[in-house]
C-alpha cells in the first residue's frame, strides 16, 4: 500500500508542476490558460432611472462567436443583464434607443432572418418583427426624431410609397 501512495503522491506533484509551468508559459506568451471573452460596451442611454447599454462578448468558451446582451445599471451599482424569455441568443443587436416613456432594442437570433424589436415600457415589454437591419435603423431614426415607431405593416407600406414615388418614368 505504501508504494501505491508514493506513486500517487509523485503523480500529483508532477501534475501540479506541469500545470504551473503551462500557466507560466501561457502568461509569458501574453495569453491565459483559461480563455475569457473580450467584451466591449456600446453607447449608454438613460431611461427610467437607469443606464442601459449593449455589450458584445467575443471569444472565451465560444471562439469566433459574438454574444450580445442588454445591460441595465441603476445608479453606481453593478450592471445586470436583461433578457427576454425566448430570445436569449442574440447574434446581432441594435440600440438601445430611449424616447419618452419607452426604450427600444432590436436583435436577431442565430436562427432568425427577421429582427425582433422589444419595446420596454413601465407596463411591460411588447415585441414586433421587422424584415431587416435597414428597417430597424430607419425606425430607430424615426423614434430619435420624435416620430412614432411603425409596426411591420406600416413600415412596409411606407417603404413601398417611397420606392414607388418616382412614377414610371
Amino acid at each position: 500500500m505504501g508504494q501505491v501512495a508514493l506513486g500517487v503522491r509523485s503523480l500529483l506533484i508532477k501534475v501540479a508542476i506541469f500545470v504551473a509551468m503551462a500557466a507560466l508559459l501561457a502568461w509569458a506568451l501574453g495569453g491565459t490558460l483559461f480563455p475569457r471573452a473580450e467584451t466591449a460596451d456600446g453607447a449608454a442611454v438613460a431611461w427610467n432611472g437607469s443606464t442601459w447599454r449593449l455589450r458584445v462578448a467575443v471569444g472565451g468558451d465560444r471562439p469566433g462567436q459574438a454574444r450580445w446582451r442588454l445591460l441595465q445599471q441603476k445608479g453606481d451599482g453593478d450592471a445586470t443583464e436583461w433578457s427576454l424569455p425566448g430570445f436569449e441568443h442574440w447574434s446581432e443587436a441594435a440600440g438601445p434607443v430611449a424616447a419618452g416613456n419607452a426604450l427600444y432594442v432590436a436583435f436577431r437570433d442565430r436562427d432568425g432572418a427577421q429582427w425582433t424589436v422589444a419595446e420596454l415600457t413601465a407596463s411591460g415589454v411588447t415585441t414586433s418583427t421587422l424584415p431587416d437591419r435597414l428597417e430597424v435603423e430607419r425606425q430607430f431614426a424615426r423614434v430619435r426624431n420624435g416620430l412614432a415607431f411603425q409596426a411591420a405593416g406600416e413600415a412596409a407600406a411606407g417603404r413601398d410609397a417611397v420606392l414607388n414615388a418616382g412614377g414610371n418614368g
Side-chain angles (χ1 to χ4, degrees), residues 2 23 30 43 52 54 56 67 83 91 101 105 115 131 133 150:
W52 298 77
L54 283 174
V56 63
R67 296 172 307 281
S83 63
S91 63
N101 62 349
V105 64
W115 282 74
R133 175 76 182 244
Q150 294 177 322

Side-chain angles (χ1 to χ4, degrees), residues 37-42 54-58 65-69 71 90-91:
E38 297 294 327
T39 61
D41 288 347
L54 283 174
R55 175 174 288 167
V56 63
V58 179
Q65 183 180 19
R67 296 172 307 281
W68 292 86
R69 300 285 184 255
L71 301 178
W90 301 357
S91 63

Side-chain angles (χ1 to χ4, degrees), residues 9-20:
R9 187 184 80 172
S10 175
L11 180 63
L12 289 176
I13 291 171
K14 288 178 182 180
V15 167
I17 291 172
F18 173 79
V19 169

